[in-house]
Amino acid sequence: HARLPESRYEPLLKSDMQCWRCDTDLKTVPKLKEHLQTHFDRDIARMKKKRKHEIDLTGDDEDEAGTSDRPPAAKMTKRPDGKSE
């Protein structure tokens, strides 16, 4: 295994980290994680708001995949003799 000279990686360890979404410079990993969490929380809130808006428009709480926040309802089926089960 070839070793990477310290002179190549040391400057990287001492430099600030940068948010990949908004280019904010952060000095520590905990600060970066905290910052990224704010992006994540905003995205989740935005998705929930969009989802609520879609439900309000359609009156349907099923997403594109056909899943629902509610447990599945029992389905009425007809037997071959025409009576419902």
Side-chain angles (χ1 to χ4, degrees):
H1 290 82
R3 290 186 52 113
L4 185 63
E6 190 173 313
S7 61
R8 300 257 331 254
Y9 68 81
E10 190 66 29
L12 293 173
L13 294 175
K14 293 184 180 194
S15 64
D16 288 349
M17 291 168 276
Q18 194 173 53
C19 174
W20 62 273
R21 298 207 40 198
C22 67
D23 297 327
T24 299
D25 289 328
L26 300 128
K27 295 197 180 291
T28 66
V29 171
K31 290 288 184 189
L32 177 63
K33 287 175 67 175
E34 181 180 321
H35 176 79
L36 291 173
Q37 185 67 48
T38 63
H39 284 295
F40 177 76
D41 292 342
R42 272 188 244 139
D43 289 346
I44 294 297
R46 192 176 300 123
M47 285 188 284
K48 285 182 178 180
K49 185 176 179 180
K50 181 181 176 187
R51 175 84 174 114
K52 183 179 180 333
H53 180 70
E54 289 170 353
I55 291 170
D56 291 345
L57 290 176
T58 64
D60 184 14
D61 65 350
E62 290 193 15
D63 60 22
E64 298 91 31
T67 60
S68 173
D69 295 336
R70 295 178 294 178
K75 293 185 179 180
M76 297 282 290
T77 59
K78 295 222 179 213
R79 300 187 309 210
D81 62 7
K83 295 182 181 178
S84 296
E85 293 181 331

